[in-house]
Amino acid sequence: MIAKRYEPFWKTTSLEKMSPSEWESICDGCGKCCLQKLQDDESEEVFYTTLACHQLDINACQCKVYETRQKKVASCITLTLDQLEEFHWLPDTCGYRVLHETGDLPEWHPLKIGSQKEMKRQGLTVEHYAVNENSVEEDDWETHIIKWVHGMPEPYSID
C-alpha cells in the first residue's frame, strides 16, 4: 500500500469551496486591511494610510470587536467570495490575494509555520507603523498615505 501524501486544504480546496473556518484561517492577521484607505474620486485608485481603525488592537493586529465589527464600524470591509476579482486592492502580501493569484500561501504564513513569528520578524504586520485613526484629524489623513514596497510601507504623496 502506498502512503497518500498530505496536501493542506488551501491546495486542495478552492477559495470558493472553503468552509467558513477554512476561509477565516487564510487571513494572516497582518492588520493591513484595517488601515484606513482613501480613494481618488477620478481614477478610483485606492491609497492605504498608516491610520488603523480605532477598533484594531495595533500590537496584537486583531480587531477588538471582530464578531460585531460590521455593526460597530460602518465602513468595515468583510472579504467575501463574491469579491475575489476585486482582491487586487489588497496588499500584495495578503493571504487571500496571494492564494487567489498563485494557488499557494507565502512561506511565512501562519498556517504554514504555526504562528505569526516570521511575519513579525519580516515586518509584515502593522504593529510597528500604524497609529489609531482617532489620533489624526481627518483633514490630515492624506499626509499618512503609504505605498507598499515588498510588503513594507513607504511614505507616498498623491500630489
Side-chain angles (χ1 to χ4, degrees):
M1 182 171 165
I2 299 174
K4 186 174 181 179
R5 191 174 131 191
Y6 169 77
E7 288 287 338
F9 76 87
W10 61 86
K11 287 190 168 198
T12 61
T13 308
S14 68
L15 282 167
E16 295 88 352
K17 296 197 173 163
M18 286 184 184
S19 70
S21 63
E22 288 171 334
W23 175 269
E24 287 290 319
S25 71
I26 298 303
C27 174
D28 52 41
C30 68
K32 293 175 184 174
C33 62
C34 297
L35 296 176
Q36 293 297 344
K37 294 160 255 337
L38 301 175
Q39 187 169 21
D40 184 288
D41 292 333
E42 292 176 19
S43 70
E44 296 188 7
E45 186 174 0
V46 175
F47 298 94
Y48 279 78
T49 71
T50 58
L51 306 172
C53 170
H54 64 280
Q55 294 293 356
L56 181 68
D57 176 334
I58 294 171
N59 291 325
C61 294
Q62 293 183 337
C63 180
K64 297 180 231 176
V65 294
Y66 187 75
E67 296 301 320
T68 58
R69 66 195 184 282
Q70 298 292 301
K71 293 177 183 166
K72 306 237 180 199
V73 181
S75 62
C76 183
I77 296 171
T78 299
L79 297 179
T80 60
L81 288 172
D82 61 331
Q83 301 166 319
L84 283 177
E85 296 308 315
E86 299 170 24
F87 280 10
H88 59 85
W89 65 265
L90 294 167
D92 61 5
T93 57
C94 172
Y96 292 101
R97 180 175 172 184
V98 172
L99 182 58
H100 177 64
E101 292 177 357
T102 71
D104 200 0
L105 293 172
E107 291 306 312
W108 46 258
H109 195 282
L111 282 174
K112 285 191 166 184
I113 65 168
S115 73
Q116 283 188 319
K117 183 179 172 182
E118 185 60 18
M119 287 181 64
K120 290 177 182 257
R121 189 188 73 72
Q122 291 187 33
L124 296 171
T125 67
V126 301
E127 69 181 313
H128 296 296
Y129 60 86
V131 294
N132 187 301
E133 67 185 339
N134 291 337
S135 68
V136 177
E137 293 292 326
E138 198 164 342
D139 289 344
D140 295 330
W141 280 18
E142 281 189 9
T143 64
H144 290 266
I145 289 176
I146 54 176
K147 65 179 178 175
W148 302 111
V149 177
H150 306 295
M152 302 297 293
E154 288 192 4
Y156 184 76
S157 176
I158 59 171
D159 296 335

